[in-house]
Amino acid sequence: MILNQAGTRRFKAYTSKHLDELLRRAGLDDEERLKVRAVATVLPFRTNAYVVDELIDWSAAPDDPIYRLVFPQEDMLPAADVARLADLLKAEAPNGEIQAEANRVRAQLNPHPAGQKELNVPKMGDEPVPGMQHKYPETVLFFPKQGQTCHAYCTYCFRWAQFVGDADLKFASDDIDQMVGYIRQHPEVTSVLITGGDAMIMGEPVIRRYIEPLLGLDQLESIRIGTKALAYWPQRFTTDPDADATLGLFQEVVKAGKNLSFMAHFTHPRELESPRVESAVERILGSGATIRTQAPLIRSINDDPAVWSHMWRRQLRMGMIPYYMFVERDTGPQDYFAVPLARAYEVFRDAYSTVSGLCRTVRGPSMSATPGKVCVDGVTEIAGERVFVLHFIQARDPDLVGRPFFARYDPSAVWLTDLRPAFAERFPFEPAEALLPN
């Protein structure tokens, strides 16, 4: 065991080279482990000693929800693709041949959903700005180069393409001056989300380089940090060597008059149970920052109203603010994890109905789709037709925000593109010219 000067465990990562050994602990036989390794040539795998030793119940693996949260499953990809990759691994084919086949499979998995590369990347003059996205007028997303990994990877992650080593699939930049210059040119921007990957994978001196220049921008009201570190490595805020310096930086942000919000991802109640998490949350809140919680609804991991109501109540007691239940996005192994929208609404409604008003800050189920964040408000019958009731929480076109619209009820629909308009020939976000004959 590696200890730091305070006598606590240092971070230890497990990657694909450790995968076969870890799969043995789950009781998988040779053929099962080979198929999982085949999936891991396409989708990224990374976890750490805290997740492996303190969060996973190995006696329940491979059905344990935290195990399923971080370990690839053999049926996440089409069986034919898994078989081809498994044959290559078994034959000890050259790495280039394996990667070529893995890349072919990746290309079929919609690596950049919701127009991330085509619609969200802003420009300065005629040149695209690398490492940034600007989908909604008020908010800019920035992907710092050093923050494009995580303490552990979630198997459902919609940003899996950031982690597979393909430069063409990656958002990242270390050009801080360009980020600041772009924001100055766009006075409508009032919030910056530092995301990845995980911003908290960066050490304090590095993350300071990105945050400090933002403090002098009067137009900014808030700085957000997207992170799963509270769930996967809470030591980042308690016993890591730069934990105190990091909390000091948070205090500086608050003293500069900015709202500092942690967008914390908790996918299962077990991630909240450790005293380490309680201590980390207490320290972050003590800096003056707020913590808002969010996660997608994931089949086989948290598709149960009791799971969500338990999480929201526990988060509230700890001082956090329940914020979003997301719908699993249309990328990667969506077919494996997706919950039909009708069922997603039921899970949200049933969980929401059992919590106090203070927990009802949460919104969802929400789809982060190409035109914006679409919330499923319910299922009802209007004029004899069963329909989904929907509205935009956020939209590329601000005029659409908050306006209800309707879709024909489809019990198998899992995403916005599966739906068809009700009481109209097109959805309000669809251009009228789309209806013209070819």
Side-chain angles (χ1 to χ4, degrees), residues 343-380:
R343 175 57 183 159
Y345 167 68
E346 290 175 354
V347 171
F348 181 87
R349 179 199 62 201
D350 292 350
Y352 193 83
S353 69
T354 64
V355 298
S356 74
L358 291 176
C359 281
R360 293 182 182 176
T361 50
V362 69
R363 299 181 286 186
S366 171
M367 293 176 275
S368 292
T370 300
K373 286 188 173 71
V374 178
C375 187
V376 181
D377 290 326
V379 176
T380 192

Side-chain angles (χ1 to χ4, degrees), residues 180-437:
V180 172
Y182 179 84
I183 294 170
R184 287 189 188 279
Q185 289 182 13
H186 292 269
E188 73 274 16
V189 174
T190 59
S191 182
V192 173
L193 170 59
I194 301 174
T195 187
D198 193 322
M200 296 316 306
I201 202 78
M202 297 185 287
E204 185 271 340
V206 179
I207 195 170
R208 176 179 288 275
R209 285 176 45 218
Y210 291 101
I211 287 180
E212 271 191 338
L214 300 176
L215 302 186
L217 296 175
D218 290 341
Q219 71 194 77
L220 287 187
E221 300 167 358
S222 65
I223 297 172
R224 292 183 256 179
I225 296 177
T227 184
K228 183 127 182 153
L230 278 167
Y232 282 166
W233 189 251
Q235 296 93 315
R236 177 67 187 84
F237 308 100
T238 56
T239 57
D240 273 10
D242 63 343
D244 290 345
T246 300
L247 272 293
L249 174 61
F250 298 164
Q251 290 175 337
E252 292 176 36
V253 175
V254 176
K255 287 179 181 178
K258 311 297 184 189
N259 176 280
L260 179 61
S261 290
F262 274 75
M263 318 313 291
H265 293 245
F266 291 104
T267 316
H268 190 272
R270 197 181 304 158
E271 297 171 328
L272 295 157
E273 292 172 357
S274 170
R276 298 179 193 268
V277 179
E278 293 184 2
S279 179
V281 168
E282 183 178 341
R283 297 199 79 200
I284 292 170
L285 295 178
S287 75
T290 59
I291 304 174
R292 298 179 186 272
T293 62
Q294 55 192 31
L297 178 65
I298 300 295
R299 186 177 66 84
S300 82
I301 293 175
N302 62 19
D303 53 339
D304 181 341
V307 168
W308 284 90
S309 61
H310 179 81
M311 279 201 295
W312 293 336
R313 289 198 299 265
R314 180 67 177 264
Q315 289 159 5
L316 179 68
R317 287 198 301 270
M318 295 170 72
M320 297 183 279
I321 303 168
Y323 190 51
Y324 266 120
M325 174 197 281
F326 289 119
V327 174
E328 172 64 356
R329 294 181 72 161
D330 55 336
T331 182
Q334 182 198 27
D335 291 344
Y336 183 86
F337 286 122
V339 175
L341 296 177
R343 175 57 183 159
Y345 167 68
E346 290 175 354
V347 171
F348 181 87
R349 179 199 62 201
D350 292 350
Y352 193 83
S353 69
T354 64
V355 298
S356 74
L358 291 176
C359 281
R360 293 182 182 176
T361 50
V362 69
R363 299 181 286 186
S366 171
M367 293 176 275
S368 292
T370 300
K373 286 188 173 71
V374 178
C375 187
V376 181
D377 290 326
V379 176
T380 192
E381 187 172 302
I382 300 175
E385 182 174 351
R386 201 173 189 200
V387 295
F388 286 111
V389 183
L390 310 155
H391 87 278
F392 279 98
I393 296 171
Q394 185 60 284
R396 292 185 190 278
D397 178 359
D399 287 343
L400 296 176
V401 174
R403 297 189 178 188
F405 63 102
F406 304 94
R408 298 174 188 172
Y409 179 77
D410 181 347
S412 62
V414 298
W415 195 247
L416 184 63
T417 52
D418 297 330
L419 299 177
R420 297 294 174 263
F423 316 123
E425 294 183 321
R426 62 183 178 91
F427 286 124
F429 54 84
E430 293 178 328
E433 57 266 25
L435 300 177
L436 298 176

